[in-house]
Amino acid sequence: MRFAVGNSILELLPGNIVLQDVDAIVNAANETLAPGGGVSGAIHRAAGPQLAEECARIGHCPTGEARMTAGYRLKARHVIHAVGPRYGAHPRDAELLASAYRHALQLAEQHGLRSIAFPSISTGIYGYPLDLAAPIALATCRDFLHSHPAVALVRFVLFDEETRLAYEHAARTIGLAPEPE
Ligand code: AR6
């Protein structure tokens, strides 16, 4: 499913983020930037051990922020490690989740990257309810693209059916109109 946002594209795609041929893929990281389970484990396995070495040199990233590394053995040239909140039903969760997406997008733009692929940050091990996280993720990316047209493509790579359906539903609820297939 694709949505036009100004001259840019916001896209929802089922699949595996490690296979994406984009300027940067985003990792759902933790504050230590150490390889974890979930999408982080998959990205580190595919990129090879140099990715964890570069992450260890950076050392830390606060929740709601992001850091960039090379992509090593991945097709993607860069990995942007974004740290979403561990869900605790706190009002600040929403702010921190939006901030993690925004930081990742800002890093991409600052480095002249034009295409970026996200997983659904915080909705796995970190327990953020999908029906709450999906509209925040999509609205944050839509708003960023409106004001930063240099980023041409934001793709959400949705690993399972439940996540894909939640994002498609959220796209409708925030008023994104799909382009004809
Ligand atoms: N491609 C795309 N999405 C994936 C893939 C993949 N290959 N594998 C899993 N997902 P999670 P979090 C989806 O748990 O909730 C890590 O260990 C998954 O189905 O990876 O932000 C970190 O080190 C879910 O929809 O990230 C942190 O400690 C989404 O990716 C912690 O987990 C995010 O799930 C972060 O937890």
Side-chain angles (χ1 to χ4, degrees), residues 13 15-20 26-45 82-86 97 118-128 130 156-160 163 167:
L13 203 72
N16 185 341
I17 202 162
V18 305
L19 304 174
Q20 298 298 310
V26 176
N27 178 21
N30 59 57
E31 287 194 338
T32 70
L33 299 178
V39 71
S40 163
I43 290 173
H44 277 273
R45 274 193 301 280
V83 184
R86 199 184 287 273
L97 184 62
F118 283 97
S120 175
I121 296 172
S122 285
T123 64
I125 292 164
Y126 277 0
Y128 212 117
L130 262 175
F156 279 84
V157 183
L158 305 167
F159 199 54
D160 54 82
T163 305
Y167 274 73

Side-chain angles (χ1 to χ4, degrees), residues 13-147:
L13 203 72
N16 185 341
I17 202 162
V18 305
L19 304 174
Q20 298 298 310
D21 187 2
V22 286
D23 293 331
I25 63 170
V26 176
N27 178 21
N30 59 57
E31 287 194 338
T32 70
L33 299 178
V39 71
S40 163
I43 290 173
H44 277 273
R45 274 193 301 280
Q50 284 174 298
L51 180 61
E53 287 163 21
E54 187 176 353
C55 285
R57 285 196 292 279
I58 298 170
H60 183 77
C61 176
T63 299
E65 295 191 18
R67 299 289 182 269
M68 191 161 91
T69 65
Y72 300 99
R73 295 181 195 155
L74 294 166
K75 275 192 195 153
R77 271 67 76 199
H78 303 275
V79 180
I80 296 176
H81 306 264
V83 184
R86 199 184 287 273
Y87 185 70
H90 189 276
R92 208 164 135 65
D93 291 342
E95 210 181 287
L96 288 169
L97 184 62
S99 169
Y101 280 100
R102 216 177 294 114
H103 266 250
L105 291 162
Q106 281 163 355
L107 267 180
E109 195 203 24
Q110 282 161 13
H111 289 84
L113 309 187
R114 294 182 48 76
S115 56
I116 179 169
F118 283 97
S120 175
I121 296 172
S122 285
T123 64
I125 292 164
Y126 277 0
Y128 212 117
L130 262 175
D131 59 329
L132 302 180
I136 294 169
L138 291 175
T140 303
C141 291
R142 176 199 56 196
D143 294 350
F144 184 90
L145 288 177
H146 270 307
S147 48

